[in-house]
Amino acid sequence: MPGSFVATGNVSPCRFLKFDTAGPGKVAQAGAGEAVVGISGQGTRYAPWSAIDDGFHAIATENCQVYQDGEKRSMLELGGTVDEGDWLKADADGKGVASS
């Protein structure tokens, strides 16, 4: 079961997350070269394809699901080609890319 944290900004689904310095339990979408603490949940905050759907999993002050080390499964959006066994890191948009 993923943990629940509070987003400090816009978080897209299935992206790498980092702890935010705003306080305990606060997370933000990770950028290039930042330490990763988990992956955001899969769903969007509103029903997909509805007129109000903005495509975000969470925005500032909303709860954000965080899949952390030890979770059985989570989905991560990739920002490029990766091979089986590659170590991953976040790109500028929080997507997973090969860490070379």
Side-chain angles (χ1 to χ4, degrees):
M1 184 86 173
S4 185
F5 294 80
V6 175
T8 58
N10 294 344
V11 174
S12 296
C14 306
R15 301 291 176 98
F16 276 129
L17 298 172
K18 64 177 181 174
F19 282 128
D20 195 296
T21 58
K26 309 284 185 181
V27 292
Q29 195 163 290
E34 295 180 313
V36 171
V37 298
I39 298 171
S40 62
Q42 298 166 215
T44 56
R45 51 199 284 264
Y46 296 116
W49 305 292
S50 70
I52 59 173
D53 181 29
D54 56 12
F56 293 115
H57 174 70
I59 62 169
T61 72
E62 291 184 344
N63 287 340
C64 180
Q65 287 184 329
V66 180
Y67 290 88
Q68 295 181 290
D69 191 25
E71 299 285 340
K72 295 280 185 195
R73 294 178 187 214
S74 64
M75 295 179 70
L76 175 67
E77 186 172 350
L78 299 177
T81 302
V82 298
D83 293 317
E84 185 176 348
D86 282 350
W87 287 92
L88 301 178
K89 65 180 180 179
D91 69 3
D93 294 320
K95 296 177 184 177
V97 294
S99 176
S100 39

